[in-house]
Amino acid sequence: MKSSVKEQSRFDARLPKEQKQLFEKAATLGGYRNLSDFVFQSAQEKAQEIIQQQELILASEKDAQLFFDALTHANEPSEGLKKAFQEYQQWTAKI
């Protein structure tokens, strides 16, 4: 039987004492088991937020390019569209 063991790596950081105390207080008030849980959960949430925002920007840029391409390389209007436009012109001429 294979066990599903996740590969782990280590992360060390040096920070000012005041900052560590601030993080420890937030971890305690937030109900986290320990400082590491607080730091990693907070970092993961922020990382996901940044990635999601960047992907949204990239999708938006892609959509803008597709829209611009559709405007600049538009096909000829179909017969149905031409007919609808003629009907619209006739209708507005009566107003």
Side-chain angles (χ1 to χ4, degrees), residues 28-47:
T28 300
L29 293 173
Y32 292 87
R33 289 185 309 153
N34 53 46
L35 178 57
S36 293
D37 284 353
F38 169 73
V39 170
F40 291 126
Q41 181 65 36
S42 299
Q44 181 172 339
E45 289 172 5
K46 188 63 177 179

Side-chain angles (χ1 to χ4, degrees), residues 22-88:
L22 175 71
F23 292 167
E24 287 173 332
K25 184 175 182 178
T28 300
L29 293 173
Y32 292 87
R33 289 185 309 153
N34 53 46
L35 178 57
S36 293
D37 284 353
F38 169 73
V39 170
F40 291 126
Q41 181 65 36
S42 299
Q44 181 172 339
E45 289 172 5
K46 188 63 177 179
Q48 289 171 333
E49 178 185 319
I50 290 168
I51 291 167
Q52 187 177 37
Q53 183 180 26
Q54 185 63 29
E55 287 173 347
L56 184 63
I57 290 169
L58 292 175
S60 177
E61 289 174 356
K62 182 180 176 184
D63 291 341
Q65 186 61 47
L66 288 171
F67 179 73
F68 179 76
D69 287 347
L71 288 177
T72 57
H73 301 100
N75 294 332
E76 287 295 317
S78 67
E79 290 304 314
L81 185 57
K82 288 177 183 177
K83 182 179 178 194
F85 181 65
Q86 288 174 348
E87 290 173 4
Y88 171 78

